[in-house]
Amino acid sequence: MVVRIYSLSPHVANQIAAGEVIERPASVVKELLENALDAGADTIHVDIGFGGLNHIKISDNGIGILADDLPLAIAPHATSKISQLHDLYAIRSMGFRGEALASIASVSRLTVSSKPASQAHGMMLRVTEGATHLEPCARSQGTTLDVRDLFFNVPVRKKFLKSQLSEYQAIEAVIKRFALSTPNITLTLNHNDKQTLSLPAARCEQTTLLRIKKVLGRGFLDQAIHLDVERAGMRLSGWVSGLKYQRSQNDKQWIYVNHRMVKDKLLNHALKQSYEGMLHSGRHPACLLYLTLPPQDIDVNVHPTKYEVRFQQPRLVHDFITSHIKKALSLPEASDCVMSPLVSKSHSSALSEPCQSYTYPVTSSKRGQWLVLNTQFVVIFVQNTPYLLDYDCLQHHLSASTVKTLTYPMLSRPLLLPVSYLIDQSNYSKFEAVLPLLSDLGLQCEFVSESRLRIRTLPQAFPLLDIQRFLDAIPTVQASQPELLKLLLASQSFDAYQVTEEEQEGLIAFLNQAPDVFRLCCRVLSTLTCRGFFHG
Ligand SMILES: Nc1ncnc2c1ncn2[C@@H]1O[C@H](COP(=O)(O)OP(=O)(O)OP(=O)(O)O)[C@@H](O)[C@H]1O
Ligand SMILES: [Mg+2]
């Protein structure tokens, strides 16, 4: 048998290339947003019909495309962004391959209308299955790409698409990611003629933060740690989550390299390593990080989707990221950490501050929400019913008789890193007597030497325990369980505090164990009062 070799027609070749760049409607949106950014637009409107399966329209007010260049814009390997091989080694734009529009045009019915400032009127180019038609149109400066019936001529690809809703969600995710690398661009998104996202341009720090909150949710920023560091031409800025914000999914790890959204293995590994041993197993941190480095130090021409990058000096980049995130988290690298990171501001200073000056994070959990209102009151939801918990009252009523309803040993929660506490040697015997009782209260400690105690667990029922204050006061109280329990209650720290799901459950379990205390200290709030609290 004789086998002959043929050149593929441009149309078939484009369809093959399109398979790599355009996987689903969200890939079209990503490419078109990046083109609008490269065109210097400061306003972009996105209209989606049926999850992008029927219709994707993206309009911008950028520099536009000259009428003569419109046919070239949809031709393969035609670009205004690079002109010679050398340019490839220092890419400053989002696009550079001249591939995206050609790919989109080969798998959809595409219309490009555009008007550059120098042209008296706009021109519109229609493309269907390789056939083009150019005509004048009325429009203001900028470009509109209108993509209909995506994959109409690639039934196999169409079969792999998901439902309208999941395709729409993928598009929304792309737009949100894009929005956080381009704060100066006004962005709107409509789905099936309804506005679903509106992000005005953010021109100052405050409005930038508002945009971040809108996109990533309040919970992240409220406790995130800000960093902005520079070394050897590299800059890392943005936010990383503190140790109390742990997610079951790694979906909020947003890293940009030179403003490009990437999903890069090296960067993900650096992030993971920065938190190693500090998060509960199966939990992930969140981040919004911007890494910038000289364009010649990275290669973005790794994968057709440009989600991966290759660094000239991967080790340097990796270490730069891990060392600075670790520093931002203020976590010493040794396994034993000193007491200070655990201890927040002193109780007395917290008490003297007026209520309004606190920032109270609201945490959602399976059980509902939890809101620390001030040094005295906490709103908790137990099976969807809001309760106002009075801590002063709780301390007052936790008399010896109610304490009896508790079962010992009380539940403990292990510390991710054991903490050390220095004791005066004259108090050694006092601590020695107290240690077995502390263990019953869920606080497991051991002597490392006569002057140093190592604390391994904390009582689950006391999520706000200021452990240093508690241990400092031990020599002053009787070595008995009720006395130590009272001291635990008196050693609560009421600083602005992110309550984890585990801690909420700890206290709820504690309140369930002592129903008398719960009745005395918690009042059911009317829905109205409760709304007032959350909005106030
Ligand atoms: N919204 C737009 N405004 C102005 N010019 C545009 C716009 N979209 C595309 N173009 C022009 O059309 C050309 C082709 O776009 P296309 O996206 O196919 O390639 P690219 O952006 O150069 O590279 P890549 O394939 O990597 O995206 C661009 O180089 C640009 O000159
Ligand atoms: Mg492009």
Side-chain angles (χ1 to χ4, degrees), residues 336 412-420 442-446 448 453-458:
D336 253 28
S412 61
R413 72 183 159 94
L415 286 168
L416 291 171
L417 296 171
V419 293
S420 294
L443 229 159
Q444 281 160 24
C445 316
E446 69 207 10
V448 182
L453 210 56
R454 182 182 284 145
I455 299 114
R456 294 199 171 278
T457 68
L458 293 180

Side-chain angles (χ1 to χ4, degrees), residues 269 312 364 426:
H269 184 266
Q312 285 274 338
S364 295
S426 59

